[in-house]
Amino acid sequence: MSSRRHFIKQSAIAGAGLSMIPNTTFGMVTNTQKDILKVGLIGVGLRGTNHLNNVLNRDDVNVTAICDIDPNRITIALDRISKAGKKKPKVFSKDEYDYRNLLELQEVDAVIISTPWLWHTRMAKDAMLAGKYTGLEVSAANTMEECWDLVNTHEQTGTHMMILENVNYRRDILAVLNMVKQDIFGELVHFRCGYQHDLRFVKLNDGKSAYGKGVEFGDKGISESVWRTQHSLLRNADVYPTHGVGPIATMCDINRGNRFSSITSNATKAIGLHNYIVKHGGKEHPNAKLKFKQGDVITSTIETTNGETIIVTHDCNLPRPYSLGFRVQGANGLWEKDGDRIYIEGQSEPHRWDASKEWLEKFDHPLWKKYGEHATGAGHGGMDFFVIHAFIESAKRNIAPPLDAYDAAAWSAITPLSELSIENNGEPQDFPDFTRGMWVKRKPYNWMKDSY
């Protein structure tokens, strides 16, 4: 922890010498360098508390306000802040809209939003309208209207928003991105990704422990089961696409010389959650009588304007080990996460896989080579450190972040488009162009630098 604080202090000093020119954006911007960023956290549940822990380790951030409607989470957050030796922040917990009072504070420069999905867009809109640099957890939007709301509000206000997709900063993902940038795979052709994670014990619990065995949700649940399970009950869609598609979108320059053009989606039957309820609660439990709408495995195929295809899989209601199922394939070879294997024509033995370890070590990303040790303990294998670091450094300079409002909209649009495609027997759906044609000339973010 102390080494991470030392790193932040040193990087903040070094960062002052970095270029102040913003990335391409369409809103009005004002470039100002802040030595200390004053941050408010909206939502301090499990995810929000993880972000809180990471910002408390920084000497260039003051947590000036927190907001949550759960008094227990407020107590936990205040205890963490006190133990870190920081000043007590202002607290907003009166009701669901008390966050708007937080946004009125002059002593808040930026906000980190870690709330249930249905609040993401409305809170991000309000934050941008209030002029607060906005960090938004995933997914960013639930409907097509909300996707456009994020883009329109950013352009209307000139306030920046970063989607806090941590998987973009996973060590193997950044190493493969390095290989992509160095043309190791050749011209890119095909990708696979998704969110394959047994969440039955998250969507259903005993109402006492977030991951406790049980079959309750909604008012009788706790943590994510209070709100997340309702989406599985009512929506047949890929409701959580960004962990998989975010890294792939970066590799193929979506919104920056390329864009998603169309999507087709199909869903299997829905039996996983019902079977889990019967197994742990019995056939007579009231929840065993519910009919969940979300198919257990949802498969979407996305086409891009540059001619690549991306298969995205959502698989969260059946027993399985965790995997995001990454595959990156080009004219010269491919990488597959499942199996941890790589094949590069002319360098690998013909028709035989290489173990990926040596390749990933050889192309380890500059960020991880330089600061990997400081990310230890930051959460999710260290990638949480890097996503918050990028957010803080971008917010201090008030410049466009690596993952912006256009990315948030394009990635999140998979949810409503997959829902519409499934409803219409896999009928192709066109992606809107959230950049209004500017993707043709927007330049990719410089992902290969070692600062943030």
Side-chain angles (χ1 to χ4, degrees):
M1 210 174 268
S2 60
S3 66
R4 284 164 62 193
R5 288 198 185 100
H6 175 72
F7 153 64
I8 294 301
K9 188 172 184 179
Q10 294 303 314
S11 66
I13 295 171
L18 296 174
S19 171
M20 297 296 292
I21 302 173
N23 299 321
T24 303
T25 186
F26 310 141
M28 298 292 291
V29 296
T30 302
N31 297 323
T32 55
Q33 173 74 42
K34 294 181 183 299
D35 295 324
I36 303 293
L37 189 73
K38 293 171 287 187
V39 173
L41 287 95
I42 302 175
V44 286
L46 295 179
R47 187 63 181 143
T49 300
N50 181 267
H51 289 318
L52 173 64
N53 291 337
N54 283 324
V55 298
L56 287 175
N57 283 322
R58 301 184 65 110
D59 294 328
D60 58 349
V61 176
N62 286 335
V63 177
T64 54
I66 60 173
C67 177
D68 203 293
I69 59 173
D70 184 342
N72 293 326
R73 301 309 307 182
I74 291 290
T75 299
I76 292 170
L78 290 176
D79 182 62
R80 299 287 176 91
I81 293 167
S82 175
K83 288 180 177 178
K86 304 287 187 175
K87 182 180 177 182
K88 182 179 179 180
K90 291 186 177 180
V91 174
F92 297 84
S93 58
K94 182 174 60 177
D95 55 39
E96 290 180 328
Y97 290 94
D98 208 14
Y99 74 91
R100 290 177 173 170
N101 294 316
L102 180 153
L103 294 176
E104 292 180 1
L105 296 178
Q106 291 293 317
E107 60 265 38
V108 171
D109 303 315
V111 294
I112 297 173
I113 299 170
S114 309
T115 54
W117 296 337
L118 292 181
W119 287 94
H120 281 187
T121 297
R122 66 190 71 191
M123 287 177 168
K125 281 178 58 181
D126 286 343
M128 285 188 278
L129 288 168
K132 310 302 183 185
Y133 200 109
T134 304
L136 182 60
E137 261 300 338
V138 301
S139 286
N142 298 279
T143 67
M144 196 60 70
E145 180 183 13
E146 287 187 341
C147 292
W148 277 112
D149 282 346
L150 293 173
V151 169
N152 291 339
T153 307
H154 161 62
E155 293 184 353
Q156 172 191 343
T157 63
T159 307
H160 292 294
M161 192 214 82
M162 178 174 173
I163 181 170
L164 301 175
E165 182 44 73
N166 59 352
V167 180
N168 278 66
Y169 294 88
R170 209 170 79 178
R171 191 163 200 160
D172 59 344
I173 291 297
L174 284 178
V176 172
L177 177 62
N178 189 6
M179 295 177 70
V180 167
K181 295 298 183 183
Q182 297 196 40
D183 203 34
I184 301 300
F185 299 108
E187 183 176 354
L188 299 174
V189 176
H190 177 69
F191 305 89
R192 295 186 184 181
C193 62
Y195 190 62
Q196 302 173 126
H197 189 185
D198 183 356
L199 293 181
R200 295 172 300 165
F201 66 101
V202 173
K203 295 182 181 183
L204 300 161
N205 54 43
D206 58 7
K208 300 175 183 178
S209 171
Y211 307 115
K213 278 192 175 180
V215 295
E216 303 294 351
F217 70 96
D219 293 340
K220 294 183 179 180
I222 192 173
S223 191
E224 290 184 51
S225 73
V226 173
W227 55 269
R228 185 170 190 156
T229 317
Q230 199 73 6
H231 292 265
S232 300
L233 183 65
L234 300 177
R235 303 193 72 178
N236 197 5
D238 184 336
V239 296
Y240 203 58
T242 70
H243 281 338
V245 83
I248 299 303
T250 299
M251 292 179 193
C252 56
D253 295 330
I254 296 301
N255 294 328
R256 299 163 180 84
N258 194 9
R259 75 176 186 89
F260 297 146
S261 57
S262 68
I263 182 173
T264 60
S265 300
N266 298 93
T268 68
K269 66 182 79 173
I271 61 172
L273 294 178
H274 171 78
N275 289 349
Y276 188 85
I277 291 168
V278 171
K279 180 178 180 180
H280 295 284
K283 292 181 180 179
E284 301 307 315
H285 193 282
N287 289 342
K289 298 174 175 61
L290 298 175
K291 185 174 178 58
F292 289 89
K293 190 171 184 180
Q294 184 183 61
D296 290 333
V297 180
I298 294 172
T299 307
S300 301
T301 300
I302 299 173
E303 294 183 335
T304 74
T305 56
N306 284 359
E308 301 100 350
T309 55
I310 307 166
I311 296 176
V312 187
T313 304
H314 182 277
D315 176 1
C316 298
N317 299 334
L318 296 170
R320 61 158 301 124
Y322 175 88
S323 172
L324 299 187
F326 284 112
R327 173 173 168 180
V328 176
Q329 188 166 12
N332 297 339
L334 71 163
W335 165 69
E336 290 186 349
K337 173 55 184 173
D338 292 345
D340 289 314
R341 54 194 188 179
I342 287 178
Y343 178 80
I344 304 298
E345 188 175 47
Q347 298 189 57
S348 304
E349 186 178 343
H351 306 290
R352 293 188 180 276
W353 293 100
D354 292 338
S356 63
K357 186 175 184 292
E358 290 187 11
W359 283 96
L360 297 180
E361 289 177 350
K362 178 180 179 180
F363 290 94
D364 197 17
H365 191 276
L367 275 173
W368 276 94
K369 285 198 290 188
K370 191 172 183 180
Y371 303 131
E373 64 180 287
H374 302 287
T376 303
H380 292 94
M383 57 192 179
D384 286 350
F385 167 85
F386 290 103
V387 71
I388 286 298
H389 179 56
F391 170 72
I392 296 298
E393 293 299 329
S394 299
K396 283 163 58 179
R397 293 160 178 77
N398 195 28
I399 60 175
L403 311 172
D404 61 18
Y406 305 99
D407 298 318
W411 305 353
S412 299
I414 292 170
T415 295
L417 291 176
S418 66
E419 188 170 36
L420 193 57
S421 181
I422 291 167
E423 283 181 3
N424 290 279
N425 299 315
E427 182 179 81
Q429 305 296 317
D430 291 332
F431 272 86
D433 176 6
F434 293 105
T435 72
R436 309 178 213 270
M438 296 298 287
W439 64 272
V440 173
K441 70 174 188 176
R442 291 187 84 208
K443 302 299 182 185
Y445 178 79
N446 179 14
W447 277 99
M448 297 317 300
K449 61 183 182 177
D450 68 357
S451 52
Y452 62 94

